[in-house]
Amino acid sequence: MKTYLLVDFGSTFTKLTAVDLDKEEIIATAKAITTVEKDIIIGYQKALERLHAKIGYEIKFDKITACSSAAGGLKMVAIGLVEELTTEAARRVCLGAGAKVELILSHNINLHEVEEIKNKNIDIILLAGGANGGNKECVIHNAKQLAKSDIKAPIVFAGNKDATDEIEEILKKANKEFYICENVMPRLNVLNINSAKDTIKDIFVKNIIEAKGIKKVEKLVGEVVLPTPNAVLMAAELLSTGFGDEPGLGDLMLADVGGATTDIYSMSSGLPTQMNAILSGLEEPYAKRTVEGDLGMRYSSLGILQSFTASEISHWKSRNVDIEAEAHKRHDDIEFISSTDEDYIADDIFAGKCIDVATSRHVGTLKGVYTPMGVMYYQVGKDLTQTNYFIGTGGVVISSKDPVAILKNGVKMASKPMELRPQNPEYLLDKTYILSAMGLLSMDHPEIALRIMKKYMVKL
């Protein structure tokens, strides 16, 4: 029996998934509180003890590999020239690499903004700006501002290639750690994310893991190779596109509702399906991730509260659910565990709101324009109306008695007719919480990872 142990050091829990590669089965899963503030090994060993207890004996694994979002995950700043173009391209690269974008800056950055970068303890700075052959003055100015600062974070330059020589000279003279990548937007509205994304992943493995106190666990688990959201993105893309002779599921969306953020993933070209719609704006990646830092079940529950209208709060109060009190209860006690029917009802309401708002921010939209030929529509973003599957994951969705009711907050709504949400998807549940694990497994055995996902995704 060939076995893998796949480890996810999450912000709250350390999750272990043991896999039998020969049988293509999950042997067992286990979790324990992540203990990165004390010693991350403690939480890992506790989870491992629970895993062995479930199995009934200790397994000598052929390989152990891990991903991590512990200690705040990967925090980045995206800097570009024009907000809707290179800055947005830089933001998408950060998100695609599994980062949380703490700050987005455009045009010439000033000293106040440089200080803001420093105060946020950013892990990596992505410096973009200008299509190839276009404006290079802005990105050179921004490089000089960063060079003059005492910011220690590595800088990834992925802007106008015509500025490369000057950027390299500026950052080298300032003794900054920097990396040169391909331009994230080489031509107007054309996205090029892989070069910068791969570099960010390499920096994460080489530098960030050690800086966050996670490196020490590598003597037990091998290399921590990915940020957790990147592992989930890889799994979702594999599940969508398939591998070799093993078909995927086609276009899909995935909602991951966590304690601090709500992440939405979409696997689709997102091209217009409406005859009179024309694409506008920056090109969209097939595999797209957005993360909403103000929408979470614990740390960010007050952010959810801001998303409720007064009439919605009043509506739920008439049904004996005090939205405001429930939000504060979860925010004030991040270790709060739901135990009563009232708790679970409030959880479902909050999770539904997270998915609703996060989906609105993720999907494309239509804007009608009157022309001599009749009404035409400009489509900005991805058309996800024909999405085949909507997958739910995250503790609150998995533990809900009615996950479909939560997930339906992400589909087409009469109240939001211009949002290109899925119209009639099938619903799946990542019941065993294996997506990040399968992203890790796919690095060595993509076909096995794909078949395991197809086997263990629960149809609702």
Side-chain angles (χ1 to χ4, degrees):
M1 179 172 69
K2 189 173 184 181
T3 58
Y4 267 42
L5 180 62
L6 307 157
V7 184
D8 175 5
F9 293 105
S11 56
T12 306
F13 289 103
T14 294
K15 298 175 281 290
L16 275 55
T17 303
V19 177
D20 182 332
L21 295 186
D22 297 328
K23 293 183 178 179
E24 299 185 356
E25 290 180 351
I26 305 295
I27 302 169
T29 62
K31 66 180 181 180
I33 295 290
T34 298
T35 52
V36 71
E37 288 82 6
K38 301 174 185 175
D39 184 343
I40 197 166
I41 293 174
I42 297 171
Y44 168 73
Q45 289 179 328
K46 185 70 175 177
L48 190 60
E49 288 171 12
R50 291 173 179 173
L51 185 77
H52 286 147
K54 278 188 176 183
I55 298 169
Y57 58 92
E58 289 193 14
I59 292 181
K60 183 173 175 57
F61 294 100
D62 294 286
K63 184 172 182 178
I64 305 175
T65 188
C67 58
S68 174
S69 58
L74 175 58
K75 298 190 294 184
M76 292 188 64
V77 57
I79 305 174
L81 173 57
V82 178
E83 190 172 344
E84 298 83 3
L85 296 172
T86 50
T87 305
E88 175 61 16
R91 186 184 75 90
R92 292 185 190 178
V93 169
C94 296
L95 292 170
K100 183 178 179 183
V101 185
E102 294 284 326
L103 196 59
I104 300 170
L105 301 172
S106 301
H107 308 294
N108 289 355
I109 60 174
N110 55 44
L111 294 178
H112 172 76
E113 289 169 326
V114 172
E115 190 66 20
E116 195 174 0
I117 295 172
K118 179 182 174 183
N119 292 339
K120 284 186 175 291
N121 294 316
I122 295 296
D123 296 315
I124 302 174
I125 297 167
L126 180 57
L127 177 61
N132 291 340
N135 180 297
K136 66 177 186 177
E137 288 76 18
C138 176
V139 74
I140 290 172
H141 165 86
N142 291 341
K144 288 178 179 177
Q145 292 287 67
L146 294 171
K148 288 188 293 185
S149 75
D150 57 357
I151 293 171
K152 304 297 183 189
I155 299 165
V156 175
F157 171 63
N160 184 351
K161 72 179 183 66
D162 294 359
T164 301
D165 293 343
E166 291 99 321
I167 297 288
E168 197 166 359
E169 184 180 353
I170 291 164
L171 297 178
K172 193 177 286 184
K173 277 185 179 178
N175 292 316
K176 297 294 184 184
E177 180 184 351
F178 68 95
Y179 303 82
I180 305 294
C181 299
E182 295 174 12
N183 194 345
V184 295
M185 197 191 78
R187 301 190 305 280
L188 185 65
N189 287 331
V190 174
L191 199 61
N192 174 35
I193 65 175
N194 288 334
S195 173
K197 190 169 81 168
D198 290 344
T199 299
I200 291 165
K201 187 188 82 171
D202 291 342
I203 298 170
F204 176 81
V205 171
K206 188 174 79 171
N207 293 4
I208 310 305
I209 288 297
E210 184 165 6
K212 292 180 179 291
I214 300 167
K215 189 80 174 175
K216 65 179 76 172
V217 82
E218 289 190 343
K219 63 187 178 185
L220 298 178
V221 305
E223 199 171 51
V224 178
V225 294
L226 292 171
T228 299
N230 195 186
V232 175
L233 187 73
M234 289 169 60
E237 186 171 11
L238 177 64
L239 185 58
S240 169
T241 59
F243 184 84
D245 294 331
E246 187 68 31
L249 301 181
D251 289 2
L252 60 83
M253 277 185 67
L254 166 69
D256 184 356
V257 184
T261 67
T262 296
D263 293 14
I264 302 289
Y265 302 79
S266 63
M267 306 298 131
S268 169
S269 65
L271 296 174
T273 58
Q274 193 164 308
M275 289 293 291
N276 55 345
I278 303 169
L279 267 179
S280 178
L282 187 63
E283 179 184 27
E284 292 278 350
Y286 179 87
K288 177 180 178 179
R289 167 184 174 249
T290 51
V291 56
E292 308 304 337
D294 60 335
L295 301 172
M297 297 299 296
R298 294 294 181 269
Y299 296 93
S300 308
S301 58
L302 296 186
I304 307 176
L305 180 59
Q306 299 302 314
S307 299
F308 283 94
T309 65
S311 62
E312 286 173 330
I313 292 173
S314 177
H315 164 78
W316 287 115
K317 188 165 280 189
S318 70
R319 297 192 174 193
N320 298 318
V321 181
D322 189 334
I323 293 294
E324 292 173 310
E326 294 291 345
H328 281 280
K329 179 167 69 177
R330 285 158 176 76
H331 176 268
D332 296 342
D333 180 11
I334 59 171
E335 295 183 4
F336 169 78
I337 297 175
S338 297
S339 57
T340 67
D341 287 343
E342 290 76 14
D343 292 337
Y344 288 117
I345 289 169
D347 279 347
D348 284 6
I349 294 168
F350 286 138
K353 178 60 76 172
C354 284
I355 289 177
D356 177 21
V357 177
T359 299
S360 290
R361 297 173 184 175
H362 182 96
V363 302
T365 56
L366 293 176
K367 181 180 180 181
V369 179
Y370 291 95
T371 74
M373 304 295 292
V375 179
M376 298 292 291
Y377 292 94
Y378 285 112
Q379 175 184 316
V380 178
K382 297 173 89 168
D383 182 342
L384 298 172
T385 55
Q386 304 306 307
T387 299
N388 299 327
Y389 293 94
F390 199 122
I391 303 172
T393 190
V396 65
V397 181
I398 290 170
S399 61
S400 172
K401 293 178 181 177
D402 191 1
V404 171
I406 295 175
L407 295 176
K408 280 186 175 179
N409 287 276
V411 301
K412 195 72 175 175
M413 293 183 178
S415 60
K416 300 179 180 182
M418 305 305 274
E419 292 185 3
L420 298 170
R421 295 167 170 242
Q423 287 182 340
N424 190 31
E426 291 187 50
Y427 297 100
L428 300 176
L429 189 65
D430 177 24
K431 187 72 176 177
T432 43
Y433 222 140
I434 60 168
L435 282 169
S436 60
M438 292 304 102
L440 289 169
L441 182 60
S442 72
M443 298 177 75
D444 291 348
H445 301 283
E447 206 160 342
I448 294 175
L450 175 57
R451 284 196 286 265
I452 289 175
M453 282 191 285
K454 289 167 71 174
K455 184 188 296 186
Y456 284 88
M457 289 293 134
V458 177
K459 284 195 174 185
L460 299 174

